[in-house]
């Protein structure tokens, strides 16, 4: 096509026009619900955007598109427009292999306003399997892995990368899929990693140990969540293995994250804030200066440990430190996928609930709830259940019941252990009003959910 013609409608453009679409097409495209408005100069002329289009890699296109719009569109804002969590978007951007799910690619490109002539997947054949993970499988990596499992001495970096990708795919699905549905696959991947790690040497051995740490951390997380945060022993066994593997290769990020996960078990499972606080401090020392996300998370959970202990001053100091760290997050942060919008408000609200400041907790949790309505995940059940408790402690039964219904909506789908435990607590505290016409339907839903669980 003539470069001086609009790529959408073919209208001739002015000779000095730097755009590749005419003004009416640009306006129409920007008016599409959720569409990102075009930057001052169309991004399709940029080298990094053209490279992403040429390679057919939507993750690189997202990253390049954000740079073209900088500073007006952040990763969080783009994730919201694409109807993804920020962590999900971060994983897609870092994905080594391109996504081939045509329906999702069309929807995302509509949102970005990618001209139809530049959509590389047009005319492609949809994969036979509808499974999300199948669309991201690397045939070469799968073949290398099968050969290595038959003869472990043949394990190579391609097989290791394939295993790591499978772990990351499971992490990606954790936020919205019941852990019981992921456990078998995670256990299978963990067993394959352990088998091959015994035979790996040199650089391959180091890379395999890192995958071991990541797979064991994930399995500890899934085991604990699937048990509704009751099986502390098994979860800690996997997390301690993960910490040891990361320590062996000197990877402070993986070691710090495994320690932080151990702190979660202490805080929210064993209800031991003293041990939880000590573990968050150890994790913080490891990741300080390496990842603003992980450092912020250690401060955030240290704040909750102090709130459980009734230390208001220490809690607020830790919250301030967490907020400072989150303000330093860059797209290149190695743990960017662990951060999500509303995370700070969710934990800060929980802290003030523990400290008995219900009015402040309600205000902060209300902010977190608005974020969760845009991208609900397992943590959303925690937000709405805690919000219900703040209303209940102020004797606003109707508002408490409304928030409980929202918590149940999410818990029924995701079956997150933390959410199930917290809605059960709300139910216990609501029991004096269970025959109230407003409360009764929510109470019946809660009983059905807990019976099924």
């Amino acid at each position: 096509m003539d470069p001086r013609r609009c790529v959408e409608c073919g209208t001739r453009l002015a000779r000095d026009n730097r755009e590749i679409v005419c003004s009416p097409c640009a306006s129409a495209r920007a008016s599409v619900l959720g569409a990102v408005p075009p930057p001052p100069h169309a991004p399709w002329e940029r080298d990094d955007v053209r490279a992403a289009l040429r390679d057919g890699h939507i993750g690189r296109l997202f990253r390049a598109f954000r740079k073209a719009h900088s500073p007006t569109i952040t990763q969080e804002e783009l994730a919201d427009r694409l109807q993804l969590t920020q962590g999900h978007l971060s994983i897609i951007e870092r994905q080594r292999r391109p996504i081939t799910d045509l329906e999702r690619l069309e929807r995302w490109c509509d949102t970005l306003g990618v001209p139809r002539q530049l959509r590389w997947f047009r005319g492609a054949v949809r994969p036979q399997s509808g499974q999300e993970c199948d669309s991201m499988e690397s045939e070469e990596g799968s073949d290398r892995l099968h050969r290595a499992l038959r003869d472990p001495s043949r394990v190579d970096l391609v097989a290791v990368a394939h295993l790591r990708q499978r772990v990351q795919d499971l992490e990606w699905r954790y936020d919205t899929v019941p852990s019981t549905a992921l456990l078998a696959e995670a256990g299978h991947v963990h067993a394959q990693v352990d088998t091959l790690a015994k035979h790996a040497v040199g650089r391959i051995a180091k890379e395999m140990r890192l995958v071991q740490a990541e797979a064991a951390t994930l399995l500890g997380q899934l085991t604990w969540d699937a048990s509704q945060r009751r099986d502390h022993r098994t979860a800690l066994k996997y997390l301690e293995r993960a910490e040891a593997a990361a320590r062996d290769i000197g990877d402070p990020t993986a070691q710090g994250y495994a320690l932080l996960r151990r702190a979660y078990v202490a805080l929210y499972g064993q209800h031991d804030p003293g041990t939880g606080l000590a573990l968050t401090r150890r994790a913080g020392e490891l990741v300080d200066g390496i990842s603003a996300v992980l450092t912020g998370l250690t401060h955030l959970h240290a704040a909750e440990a102090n709130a459980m202990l009734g230390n208001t001053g220490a809690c607020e100091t830790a919250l301030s430190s967490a907020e400072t760290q989150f303000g330093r997050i860059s797209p290149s942060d190695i743990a960017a996928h662990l951060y999500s919008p509303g995370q700070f408000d969710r934990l800060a609200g929980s802290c003030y609930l523990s400290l008995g400041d219900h009015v402040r907790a309600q205000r902060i949790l209300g902010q977190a709830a608005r974020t969760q309505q845009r991208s609900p995940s397992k943590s959303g059940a925690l937000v709405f259940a805690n919000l219900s408790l703040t209303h209940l402690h102020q004797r606003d039964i109707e508002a408490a019941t409304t928030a409980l219904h929202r918590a149940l909506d999410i818990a029924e789908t995701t079956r997150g252990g933390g959410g199930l435990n917290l809605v059960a607590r709300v139910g216990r505290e609501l029991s004096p009003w269970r025959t109230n016409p407003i409360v009764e339907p929510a109470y019946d839903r809660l009983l059905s959910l807990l019976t099924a669980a």
Side-chain angles (χ1 to χ4, degrees), residues 44-191:
W44 321 119
E45 299 173 359
R46 291 171 54 107
D47 290 342
D48 53 351
V49 174
R50 286 191 173 278
L53 290 167
R54 184 176 61 250
D55 295 341
H57 197 294
I58 192 70
R60 292 195 204 109
L61 181 60
F62 288 159
R63 191 164 57 244
F65 196 84
R66 286 195 294 107
K67 288 181 180 178
H69 284 74
S70 181
T72 57
I73 290 184
T74 64
Q75 189 179 57
E76 178 179 333
E77 290 166 339
L78 182 58
D80 187 35
R81 291 175 182 272
L82 294 168
Q83 298 182 5
L84 300 169
T85 65
Q86 185 178 15
H88 194 162
L89 176 58
S90 178
I91 290 175
I92 293 173
E93 288 187 355
R94 294 183 295 109
Q95 188 84 31
R96 291 187 182 182
R97 294 185 295 279
I99 292 174
T100 56
D101 184 321
L102 303 186
E103 183 178 343
R104 287 193 297 160
L105 290 171
E106 283 282 15
R107 185 172 70 250
W108 289 338
C109 284
D110 283 344
T111 300
L112 296 182
V114 179
R116 294 186 182 278
Q117 291 88 339
L118 299 181
R119 299 187 186 186
W120 65 94
F121 50 86
R122 286 260 161 176
V125 179
R126 182 181 295 277
Q128 292 296 313
S129 172
Q131 292 291 326
E132 199 167 293
C133 285
D134 289 347
S135 70
M136 291 188 286
E137 282 287 337
S138 162
E139 187 173 332
E140 181 185 3
S142 182
D143 289 345
R144 296 277 190 99
L145 176 59
H146 287 312
R147 286 201 296 270
L149 290 170
R150 288 194 297 268
D151 180 3
S153 65
R154 299 179 65 182
V155 63
D156 59 14
L157 289 174
V158 175
V160 176
H162 182 71
L163 282 168
R164 189 175 193 188
Q165 187 59 60
R166 290 177 64 188
V167 173
Q168 290 177 346
D169 291 343
L170 288 163
E171 290 175 341
W172 178 359
R173 295 156 64 194
Y174 169 80
D175 278 341
T176 54
V177 177
S179 294
T180 50
L182 304 177
L183 260 177
E185 186 179 351
H188 184 60
V189 173
H190 182 267

Side-chain angles (χ1 to χ4, degrees), residues 310-369:
N311 300 330
T312 303
C315 170
E316 293 186 328
T317 298
L319 285 175
S320 178
S321 297
E323 195 166 24
T324 299
Q325 289 295 326
F326 290 152
R328 297 172 179 167
I329 295 174
S330 69
S332 61
D333 193 302
I334 194 170
H337 62 289
L338 298 177
Y339 178 78
S340 60
Q343 198 167 23
F344 177 84
D345 287 338
R346 174 172 65 84
L347 270 295
S350 180
C351 286
Y352 285 110
L353 179 60
S354 295
L355 292 169
D357 190 343
H358 303 130
V359 174
R360 194 169 186 180
Q362 177 189 323
R363 177 176 57 79
I364 297 172
L365 288 167
Q367 295 170 354

Side-chain angles (χ1 to χ4, degrees), residues 378-436:
K378 285 178 181 174
S379 61
L382 301 174
V383 171
F384 284 103
N386 273 330
L387 184 58
S388 179
L389 288 172
T390 66
H391 289 301
L392 186 55
H393 291 162
Q394 297 173 79
R395 293 296 185 265
D396 187 343
I397 305 305
E398 185 173 355
T401 305
T402 300
L404 176 58
H405 273 297
R406 289 293 293 114
L408 291 169
D409 289 342
I410 299 171
E412 286 168 349
T413 302
T414 63
R415 302 276 170 168
L420 290 171
N421 289 343
L422 206 49
V423 294
R425 177 185 165 188
V426 175
R428 288 193 296 272
E429 298 201 21
L430 263 178
S431 60
W433 297 274
R434 63 182 178 274
T435 58
N436 183 306

